[in-house]
Amino acid sequence: MENTEIARIFYEIADLLEIKGENPFRVRSYRNAGLVIEGLPVSVKSIVERDERELEKIKGIGRSIREKVVEILRTGRCTFQEQLLEELPRGLLEILRISGVGPRKVELLYKRLDIKTVDDLERAAMKGLLRGLPGMGEKTEKKILKSIEDYRNLKIAAQRFRLSVAYPYAAAYVDHIKEVGHISQIEIAGSLRRWKDTIGDVDILVTCRKKGAAMDVMEHFVSYPEVRDVLAKGETKSSVVLNVGLQVDLRVLDEGSFGAALQYFTGSKAHNIAIRDRAKRLGLKISEYGVFKEKTGRKVAGRTEEEVYTAVGLVWIPPEIRENHGEIELAEKDRLPHLVEEKDIRGDLHAHTHYSDGTNTVEEMALKAIERGYQYLAITDHSKAVGIAHGLDEKRIRGQLEEIDRVNQRLEQRGIEFALLKGTEVDIRADGTLDHSPEVLGELDCVVAAIHSRFDMPQAQMTERIIRALSTGLVHILAHPTGRLIGIREPYHVDMEAIMDCAKQYGVALELNSYPERLDLNDSHLRLAKDKGVLVSIGTDSHSVYHLEHITYGVHTARRGWLEAKDVLNAMPLDRLLKVLKRKG
Ligand code: DGT
Ligand code: CA
Ligand code: CA
């Protein structure tokens, strides 16, 4: 069982306890355990196989969580979760996904109106039965009906997998496939190689070292323990569905056409169609087997992808931008952008600690950033308005600033060149004012501002709210600018062009939040930011030391948005970054 599945059980427990009205700290400890497990760079299974006591060394995992993890891995079940589900119908968990319906309301609806499913809720709202309940009126009913519609749309979209879910499954599967020994080349193709934010299915391509080994490879492929169903098993192609519901296709290819197949199965479809038309104009025919002269049928390319692109008069195109959005025209002139790479990233400007809803200390976060080779890290805990995240008031943030000074001093004494920056993720209130005083904000190196409430505002009002916040001149970075949670919550309604124009005017950077559920801004907004000359900060929004690794998803998403190192705020070395941040203040 993979980390995401284990994490999901803990999220469910947290939700169920919350509906039951349990102690918020207890609820938080389960939700946090889910977050920590989901963010671990290694599989919990492998830790437990080695030594289950190792688990408790991880921040956020105590004895009770450890015991449950072990039980889940041993039996595939969690008795505690099952007990909770005997008390409360499972459908309540789904109702909780409806925006605007929190745990208190779910409990109320269940107790008073026996609402157990989303369908029950929809019927009750249509009949006008909710308006009698405390705190609910006709307006609430309308809102809930709209939210249910949004939720159903998301559910259709959610039949795809988040990048961060599909990626570890694919990587682990590739390791398994390699074990068979006959493999000479193996690549992931499709939307995963293009690092799209959601993945329909995983496409894997291999070549074999010796003839006749294909069937051995296929046998080994379908016998993977995570396989739930085998949809097809042949000598060149097999398809399976994993326990999580993710489909994986494997193709075995000849060495001579591996490049052509890789090009073809990487897509996107739109890119391939444009390439095929281009080949035609050049008197060539392109397929997953190679590039051929139309007249003679002679094969001119196929072994490598570079060869295939060269044959149609193009330089090799990075997979992330193969969407037929202008990349082919530039590849023809050899003028493709030099896309940002992970090694260009010098630091992270969005990280939480245990002061708000993170799990690690200020120093632990700094040490991990240093280990990653960063020059700087901004500590940006929540402000007081975000009560559920234990946001900081003025007194607590001042205490934290002193701690940051102390950590910086200790690092300096140890001769480590690194800057821990003083920051905040200040809440943008409903009226567009900021949740810290200008005095406090003025003392900070890095002010990240974000929306955490009233996601349902009409577009004009939401846009005005954000513009008001940016126009204070106190904000350096607007975090997760659309608020989307992939497959969970739609982006809020906002005039992104107006926000970008305002950001440009006030020298505010927009964030590409790398948290796997967010990836916000998305690829097309990033492209727009680049065109408008608005800097982008690729932040991880880390809530534990492990989350710093999420930068990988951020960087590849940035590449999908055509960003180069010069477009990225945290690709700047420290001295330049500080100048850019100061210029604002
Ligand atoms: P996904 O799986 O929905 O996230 O997206 P992809 O891009 O991985 O799509 P998939 O798995 O259906 O097919 C893999 C690639 O194969 C796709 O990106 C492009 C190529 N391909 C599939 N169907 C066609 C087609 O009808 N025409 C062309 N030119 N290419 C295709
Ligand atoms: Ca695919
Ligand atoms: Ca496929």
Side-chain angles (χ1 to χ4, degrees), residues 62-105:
R63 190 171 61 94
S64 141
I65 303 279
R66 190 247 302 163
E67 285 170 357
K68 292 186 178 70
V69 169
V70 172
E71 184 198 0
I72 293 165
L73 285 171
R74 294 246 161 87
T75 66
R77 298 165 46 189
C78 174
T79 339
F80 182 54
Q81 177 204 26
E82 286 172 2
Q83 280 163 1
L84 289 170
L85 282 171
E86 271 167 28
E87 293 174 46
L88 296 170
R90 175 170 276 284
L92 299 188
L93 289 169
E94 200 177 3
I95 299 177
L96 203 54
R97 302 272 87 81
I98 308 291
S99 145
V101 188
R104 291 284 63 73
K105 264 191 198 151

Side-chain angles (χ1 to χ4, degrees), residues 160 190-191 194 199-201 203 264-267 269 272 276:
R160 299 177 60 81
S191 49
R194 305 198 314 280
I199 306 297
D201 68 3
D203 308 277
Y264 181 88
F265 290 110
T266 296
K269 200 167 160 181
N272 284 358
R276 197 176 54 210

Side-chain angles (χ1 to χ4, degrees), residues 190-191 200-204 237 239 247-251 265:
S191 49
D201 68 3
V202 175
D203 308 277
I204 303 176
K237 187 190 165 189
S239 287
Q247 185 181 327
V248 183
D249 298 343
L250 178 71
R251 288 185 172 78
F265 290 110

Side-chain angles (χ1 to χ4, degrees), residues 518-536:
R518 292 191 182 271
L519 299 180
D520 176 13
L521 298 176
N522 68 16
D523 45 13
S524 44
H525 283 145
L526 291 165
R527 186 92 188 266
L528 188 65
K530 184 189 169 92
D531 290 346
K532 285 187 179 283
V534 175
L535 279 173
V536 172

